[in-house]
Structures are given as structure tokens and as C-alpha cells.
Amino acid sequence: MSSYVDEIIEQVIKQNPSEPEFHQAVREVLESIRVVIEANEEKFRRDALLERLVNPERQIKFRVPWIDDKGDVHVNTGYRVQFNSAIGPYKGGLRLHPSVNLGIIKFLGFEQIFKNSLTGLPIGGGKGGSDFDPKGKSDREVMRFCQAFMTELCKYIGADTDVPAGDIGTGGREIGYMFGQYKKIRGLFEGVLTGKGLTYGGSLARTEATGYGLLYIVEELFKSHGADIADKTVVVSGAGNVAIYAIQKAQQLGAKVVTCSDSTGWVYDPEGIDVAALKQIKEVDRARLTEYKKYRPNSEYHEGRGVWAVKCDIALPCATQNELDVEDAVLLVENGVTAVCEGANMPTTEKATKYLQDNGVWFIPGKAANAGGVATSALEMSQNSERLSWTFEEVDAKLKNIMVNLYHNIDDAAKKYGFEGNYVVGANIAGFEKVLDAMNAQGIV
Ligand code: NDP
Ligand code: 2IT
């Protein structure tokens, strides 16, 4: 009989054609947990455990009609994939980007199951979004889209069932418009979304959490190897929520960040990225990185991609999936990189990941390294439930504690199964074990 893991990988590819990112995410997780599955193969087969793991509990796809400023009507597609609720209500962001399709949302939702488990908090896995492109839209157009999107989504979510948040293209502005529409239709002021504004139930430090959390785990990784991140050179991709606060925390910890990038080009600033300028350009003006040179005349702007060719000790991909391929990994290794830690979801291709690991680079996958965002979302849910708000210092201290524990949890899991230093295997096994236990306890549902 062939291996259960291999059969399921084959089945996922056959049953979900044209969803390469979903195949990639499933392959990475199932290959990592192969040792656990093979030790219990008969029982897991009888329970169809893996079939239940790789099939979302529910996937919702809907029409989103909205009217632009000229009065023309547009129709986008909305999605919410409620993947796994074994350990808590579905939790995960909403991506607004023209590249969004069902396969992208399924890959993100699948990753979210294990990430959320790793936080140690009671949240299940889900993800949603739309192929709507917020770029170049007026504020009123974004509002009308968000309202139309929520008019349908509100039927399926709630503070105790499914709690969406931000992701690419969805920040504080979009969450505000969606929250307003949810409240209007459902008549409920409840913690149905996280990443809310501070005046209506948001948590301090949620905006910073993913980037800060990434640096907390990088710091612990270095510490555990008897090293320090102070004075290290860091290369970051992206210029959005995750990248901005990763750069800020890296600088606070004494490292020097020399790059950032957006969807059209990248910046090299040998004196270190100016976070205030970056925030003005991206958060306030919603402009391109071409503007950066106006603030920092000694910096360079290049069209296209290229950050991975810059010599560094630490590389932090913080933009999007599959943005770091094997040619980039070769350059990073040639230039002596020590660590690659993923701020984005699945930014490193399978080949690049293998190359980095084979060459002794410390590699922490996104589901561990960027878990600080969703962890702090869960802290926002707690604050909403008790109708209190905690100080920035309190939330930040909890976030740091979660990331430090998470590092040791994945490090220990890797060691326990004979894969010391392989944080991909460690993260997938540690994330899976809790979900497995909860699924087993709850019967075949
Ligand atoms: P933002 O929309 O704030 O920023 C995304 C950044 O990446 C922008 O600079 C954008 O460029 C760039 N980018 C997006 N798509 C592409 C692309 N196809 N090619 C090149 N560049 C691209 O999103 P976030 O910072 O929130 O998210 C970044 C990553 O982190 C995503 O993978 C997301 O899933 C992940 N993540 C986010 C969390 C959060 O809390 N927000 C939590 C955990 C993970 P431009 O400025 O031109 O749009
Ligand atoms: O990928 C992610 O973990 C997020 N976009 C954040 C999800 C959340 O619910 O805060």
C-alpha cells in the first residue's frame, strides 16, 4: 500500500486543479508531519484525518457589486474560506488584491490553521478577501466596496464564529468601513473584526504586532545560538504594514535595515531606512517608493525586484507569496546570510527553502515568524470580550512572550522528532499536534 501522505497530496492536486499555491502549502505541511502520520497511519486512515484536514469546513464565494465615482457599476468576487474550527472560531485576514482567487485564499486559510495553533491561543483557521484592487481608487470607492463586501459577508461571521482582520490591501481604513457596515446591518457592536481603530474597540500594538513579533522571534533565534542582532545588516522586502514595523523594531534593536520594496521597485538606503519617511509615503500619501529619494537624497531607487542581491546577515521577506526564489537564495548564501525569517505568508519557494536549509541558513517559516499579528488579534478579541483595553506595554509584553515561547516550542518539536534546527518541520508538527488532539476529541465532524 502506498503512503497515506503521498495519496493525500496526490488527491489534493487532482481535486483542486489550478490552485498551485494551495498544493504548495499542503505539500509543505504534510511532508513535515510525515513522521507523525506514519507512526499512526492505520488510525489516521480509518478516521480520514488528512482528508478532513485538507478540505475546508466551508468555503463561501459571493458577488460584490459596487458603484464607482462616475456612477459605473463593477462586480468583484468575494471569498471567505472557513477552514478549521477545531481549536476556536475561524480567524484570519481579508486580502484585497487583483491576484486573489480561491486557491490563494485556500493556501492562506490552510497556513492559518497551524499558525493560529502555534500562538497558543484559542483560534481556528480561516481567510478571505476579494480580487478588488484598492490601488488608484478614491476613498469613497473603497468605502462603497467595503460596504458591499460586508453586506454579504456579515451573514457568515460573528464574534464567536468567525473573526476576520487585515491582510494585503486591507488596513485600518478598510476594517473601519467594514465594521461600520456590519454594525449597521446586524445591529451588534461586537468584536467581529480585529485591527479596528483605537476609538471603537481596537487594541494598542495590533498595528505594529506582525512586524514587531517577527523581530522578537529573530532576536530569540539569535540569542539561542549565542548571537545578537545588534549591528547586523538586514534586508527587508515590502513596504506595507508588516515591513514598516519590522524595520522599526529591527532599528530599535540596533540592527541596520538597508532595503524595502513595493510592487514596482525597491530602495537601497546605505544609512538605514527612514521609517518616518516610509510611513508618510505608504500610510499617509498611499504613494510609490519613487518618492523616497525626495526624503533621502543619498538613497537609490531601482525599478523591478532586486533586494535579495544586497549583502546582508538577515533577510526578511515581508511582501507576498513566492517572492524569494532559488536564484535569490543562491545570492543570499553567496553573500553570507545567517538567517531568513518570513514576515509574509509563504514568500519563499519550495526550492529556495531547501537551498537555504541545505546551506545551514536559519530559516523560520511564516506560520511561526509572522504569528505575532494574529496572536495580537486574539488579544484584541479578549479585550473586546471583557470590554476593557490594555496598555501598549501590556499588549507588547504579551506579544513578546508569545513569540519567545513559540520559538522554543518549534525548536523543541524539531529536536524531539530528530530534525534539530529545521524550524519548518518544528512549526508544522507543533502546530498540527494541538489541532490533531482537538479534532480527535471532538469526533468525526
Ligand atoms: P500591505 O498591503 O500593507 O503591504 C504589502 C506590501 O507588499 C506592499 O508594499 C506591496 O506593494 C507589496 N506587494 C504586495 N503584493 C505584491 C506583489 N504581488 N509583488 C510585489 N510586491 C507586492 O500588506 P501586509 O504588510 O499586511 O502583508 C504583507 C504580507 O504579510 C502578506 O503575505 C500577508 O499575508 C502577510 N501577513 C500580514 C499580517 C498582518 O497582520 N497584516 C499578519 C501575518 C502575515 P505596494 O505598496 O505597491 O502595494
Ligand atoms: O496572515 C495573517 O496571519 C494575517 N493576515 C492576520 C490575521 C488576523 O486575524 O489578525
Side-chain angles (χ1 to χ4, degrees):
M1 198 160 36
S2 68
S3 130
Y4 185 32
V5 164
D6 293 331
E7 278 172 33
I8 296 298
I9 292 175
E10 226 172 87
Q11 203 182 90
V12 163
I13 294 171
K14 216 163 120 199
Q15 291 179 348
N16 306 269
S18 340
E19 295 180 359
E21 294 84 3
F22 180 51
H23 306 165
Q24 184 181 341
V26 167
R27 205 155 43 224
E28 187 210 275
V29 170
L30 295 196
E31 287 297 353
S32 293
I33 62 173
R34 190 185 276 278
V35 287
V36 183
I37 303 299
E38 290 182 354
N40 300 279
E41 186 150 327
E42 207 177 314
K43 174 179 163 39
F44 288 168
R45 249 186 215 280
R46 244 186 90 229
D47 292 351
L49 193 268
L50 292 183
E51 287 86 338
R52 287 186 291 133
L53 193 69
V54 300
N55 280 290
E57 289 176 18
R58 193 172 299 104
Q59 46 193 50
I60 301 145
K61 181 176 175 190
F62 50 98
R63 179 166 63 105
V64 188
W66 59 277
I67 302 171
D68 70 18
D69 290 344
K70 298 195 299 264
D72 292 338
V73 180
H74 300 263
V75 176
N76 286 101
T77 305
Y79 302 90
R80 186 72 182 166
V81 173
Q82 299 181 329
F83 222 117
N84 189 303
S85 63
I87 66 170
Y90 310 105
K91 182 85 198 85
L94 296 170
R95 178 173 292 190
L96 300 182
H97 193 272
S99 63
V100 163
N101 57 47
L102 184 60
I104 296 279
I105 300 300
K106 277 162 69 181
F107 118 63
L108 291 162
F110 188 69
E111 287 284 287
Q112 202 81 43
I113 303 170
F114 308 97
K115 180 195 308 194
N116 293 4
S117 168
L118 286 172
T119 66
L121 300 167
I123 40 179
K127 199 85 187 190
S130 173
D131 57 0
F132 173 76
D133 186 359
K135 278 212 179 72
K137 305 291 189 296
S138 73
D139 196 62
R140 284 294 162 92
E141 288 172 333
V142 169
M143 181 179 78
R144 286 193 294 271
F145 168 81
C146 290
Q147 290 176 339
F149 181 77
M150 185 53 84
T151 298
E152 185 60 24
L153 184 69
C154 76
K155 298 168 188 169
Y156 310 102
I157 62 176
D160 293 311
T161 49
D162 184 356
V163 182
D167 194 79
I168 291 178
T170 307
R173 174 180 63 168
E174 291 73 21
I175 292 292
Y177 292 145
M178 289 181 194
F179 185 78
Q181 186 74 352
Y182 179 87
K183 183 161 60 74
K184 184 175 171 75
I185 299 182
R186 298 285 304 269
L188 292 170
F189 195 114
E190 60 169 7
V192 65
L193 292 162
T194 59
K196 299 184 293 298
L198 298 176
T199 52
Y200 59 95
S203 173
L204 284 159
R206 174 61 189 91
T207 306
E208 294 84 354
T210 312
Y212 278 22
L214 172 63
L215 268 295
Y216 292 148
I217 202 168
V218 173
E219 191 185 24
E220 192 62 20
L221 167 73
F222 274 67
K223 229 197 231 168
S224 303
H225 286 85
D228 190 344
I229 69 172
D231 301 323
K232 297 287 186 291
T233 301
V234 182
V235 157
V236 168
S237 67
N241 174 265
V242 180
I244 289 173
Y245 295 96
I247 296 170
Q248 186 171 77
K249 183 53 76 178
Q251 292 178 344
Q252 286 172 9
L253 296 174
K256 188 172 182 187
V257 185
V258 294
T259 67
C260 62
S261 66
D262 67 11
S263 48
T264 52
W266 60 283
V267 161
Y268 173 66
D269 188 340
E271 291 152 28
I273 296 291
D274 180 343
V275 173
L278 191 58
K279 282 185 168 183
Q280 180 66 35
I281 296 165
K282 287 293 172 184
E283 291 181 347
V284 183
D285 301 337
R286 299 179 187 276
R288 315 256 27 117
L289 277 179
T290 39
E291 300 299 301
Y292 186 84
K293 219 173 157 46
K294 292 185 187 154
Y295 297 84
R296 305 277 281 188
N298 291 336
S299 69
E300 297 169 16
Y301 173 81
H302 303 270
E303 288 288 327
R305 54 197 297 284
V307 296
W308 312 125
V310 175
K311 185 173 167 55
C312 65
D313 305 300
I314 302 170
L316 305 175
C318 297
T320 194
Q321 65 274 0
N322 293 329
E323 55 161 317
L324 197 166
D325 207 344
V326 68
E327 305 85 62
D328 306 312
V330 169
L331 288 175
L332 286 167
V333 169
E334 259 173 33
N335 285 327
V337 75
T338 303
V340 175
C341 300
E342 298 184 324
N345 285 309
M346 209 169 76
T348 314
T349 64
E350 287 167 290
K351 273 191 181 154
T353 302
K354 182 164 186 328
Y355 187 85
L356 293 169
Q357 290 179 320
D358 287 350
N359 283 278
V361 176
W362 307 334
F363 179 84
I364 306 193
K367 61 171 71 69
N370 70 38
V374 75
T376 307
S377 277
L379 301 179
E380 182 171 329
M381 290 166 70
S382 298
Q383 294 168 77
N384 292 165
S385 295
E386 63 175 17
R387 299 194 193 285
L388 291 174
S389 32
W390 308 336
T391 63
F392 187 95
E393 290 69 27
E394 215 174 333
V395 180
D396 189 39
K398 284 188 183 4
L399 165 64
K400 186 165 182 183
N401 193 34
I402 289 168
M403 298 311 293
V404 168
N405 287 338
L406 198 162
Y407 172 74
H408 291 287
N409 191 7
I410 66 172
D411 188 38
D412 290 348
K415 285 179 184 151
K416 182 174 153 196
Y417 286 92
F419 291 91
E420 180 162 359
N422 187 334
Y423 304 109
V424 174
V425 168
N428 286 321
I429 291 182
F432 171 67
E433 279 184 329
K434 181 176 174 187
V435 175
L436 170 69
D437 187 75
M439 285 176 75
N440 278 338
Q442 293 171 40
I444 310 296
V445 288

